[in-house]
Amino acid sequence: MANAVNQAQFWEQRYQEGSDRWDLGQAAPVWRSLLAGAEAPSPGRIAVLGCGRGHDARLFAEQGFAVVGFDFAPSAIAAAQALAQGTTAEFLERDIFALPQEFASQFDYVLEHTCFCAIDPDRRSEYVEVTRQLLKPDGALLGLFWCHDRPSGPPYGCSLTELRDRFAQGWQEEQLKLVTESVEGRRGEEYLGRWRRLA
């Protein structure tokens, strides 16, 4: 299964079958809370990795961010583009692991939500490096991480210890806390993290 998730067709089939249960049909509630609160990040250019239909991306665009969403499932990008009519959000069909070749050091932020838990766990170190390369010096990763210990996947589990270990080198942890406004089925398992890229 882990090898299958490396292929665009695996995800494209999920969208075509309607078995994309990770899609909430709206932006994650925690992003609305963050953007409305005192710790809201200042608007800047933000990359949304594995953006799906773009619900999170559209929310950030509405709040003044210059948003580029990336996904390698054609149906996801087509849906995101259709739903984004009238917004400034841009959506591109790309393999996230190839993004640094085209977008190195171009973003103030990278937004993570259900991408880290969907990729092949053997590629997590690569994911962290991709994220770092996309960010400008002093840029930040804003991540909503699904931490569970159930076997198999996707979504593949992880622990807080793993997250901290993954982002131990070249990053400054600014926040990692349990989310209280998770949707049903993810309560007690989602953590909001913010890491600053060190130059």
Side-chain angles (χ1 to χ4, degrees):
M1 181 65 74
N3 289 335
V5 301
N6 292 322
Q7 307 301 318
Q9 184 55 40
F10 174 86
W11 300 103
E12 176 65 12
Q13 185 174 344
R14 294 289 189 93
Y15 281 103
Q16 291 188 8
E17 292 175 348
S19 58
D20 51 340
R21 296 189 306 274
W22 61 87
D23 188 318
L24 303 180
Q26 62 178 350
V30 70
W31 298 135
R32 294 190 181 280
S33 298
L34 176 67
L35 292 172
E39 297 182 344
S42 301
R45 193 165 193 234
I46 187 168
V48 184
L49 304 185
C51 65
R53 294 189 176 92
H55 307 303
D56 295 334
R58 292 196 311 278
L59 174 65
F60 276 78
E62 291 165 4
Q63 297 300 314
F65 288 77
V67 178
V68 186
F70 301 100
D71 205 294
F72 68 172
S75 290
I77 291 299
Q81 291 171 338
L83 291 167
Q85 294 295 318
T87 78
T88 59
E90 180 182 4
F91 296 95
L92 300 175
E93 185 182 332
R94 297 288 192 280
D95 180 340
I96 65 166
F97 292 103
L99 290 178
Q101 301 168 24
E102 188 177 356
F103 294 97
S105 302
Q106 291 193 20
F107 295 95
D108 301 294
Y109 306 97
V110 169
L111 191 73
E112 156 61 39
H113 179 207
T114 67
C115 185
F116 184 84
C117 68
I119 62 171
D120 183 340
D122 289 339
R123 303 190 77 179
R124 284 179 172 174
S125 293
E126 187 181 354
Y127 169 97
V128 171
E129 183 57 26
V130 164
T131 300
R132 179 175 167 76
Q133 290 182 33
L134 292 176
L135 287 168
K136 300 174 183 178
D138 204 42
L141 168 66
L142 307 174
L144 180 58
F145 291 90
W146 196 353
C147 296
H148 66 82
D149 59 3
R150 292 181 291 281
S152 71
Y156 299 103
C158 75
S159 66
L160 291 181
T161 298
E162 178 184 355
L163 284 178
R164 288 195 160 109
D165 287 346
R166 297 275 181 195
F167 293 96
Q169 300 296 321
W171 301 85
Q172 175 64 50
E173 180 184 317
E174 296 185 340
Q175 183 181 59
L176 188 58
K177 67 176 185 179
L178 183 67
V179 171
T180 58
E181 59 266 75
S182 295
V183 297
E184 187 67 34
R186 300 185 192 176
R187 289 181 186 150
E189 297 181 340
E190 286 189 311
Y191 288 81
L192 178 63
R194 191 187 306 211
W195 282 270
R196 182 79 50 187
R197 174 191 162 170
L198 300 177

